């Protein structure tokens, strides 16, 4: 949205939190219109041998690297589709 690009805005989002994703996207849509471009670039590193990796660490990796992409993309896809993006 041109208004968003001109004025700029920073937002903080825990991409592991589905409710936070919905709230943030809803806020953006209300204030600026539909999301037309999405860059999924969240990521973490929890390098460790599999034998030493906790299940919690593994879940964080999956939730941030994979599930967040799914959630964010799905949440903004309707607006992008209507805009023919």
């Amino acid at each position: 949205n041109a208004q968003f690009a001109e004025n700029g805005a920073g937002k903080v989002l825990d991409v592991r939190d589905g409710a936070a994703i919905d709230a943030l996207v809803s806020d953006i849509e209300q204030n600026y219109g539909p999301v037309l471009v999405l860059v999924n670039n969240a990521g973490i590193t929890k390098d460790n041998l599999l034998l030493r990796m906790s299940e919690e660490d593994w879940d964080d990796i999956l939730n941030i690297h994979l599930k967040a992409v799914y959630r964010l993309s799905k949440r903004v896809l309707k607006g992008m589709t209507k805009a023919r993006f």
Side-chain angles (χ1 to χ4, degrees), residues 9-78:
K11 304 288 182 177
V12 175
L13 174 64
D14 180 349
V15 297
R16 296 170 294 184
D17 183 346
I21 288 171
D22 191 46
L24 177 64
V25 174
S26 292
D27 179 60
I28 290 169
E29 289 171 339
Q30 286 178 350
N31 291 300
Y32 303 102
V35 174
L36 301 179
V37 176
L38 173 66
V39 177
N40 284 298
N41 69 340
I44 60 171
T45 301
K46 291 197 175 188
D47 292 338
N48 209 343
L49 296 174
L50 186 58
L51 290 171
R52 294 184 185 156
M53 184 177 288
S54 70
E55 191 164 336
E56 182 179 279
D57 286 346
W58 180 244
D59 287 343
D60 276 347
I61 291 167
L62 291 178
N63 285 331
I64 292 170
H65 289 254
L66 298 175
K67 197 166 189 177
V69 172
Y70 164 80
R71 284 178 170 163
L72 280 160
S73 298
K74 187 171 182 175
R75 180 59 182 80
V76 301
L77 191 58
K78 190 174 186 178

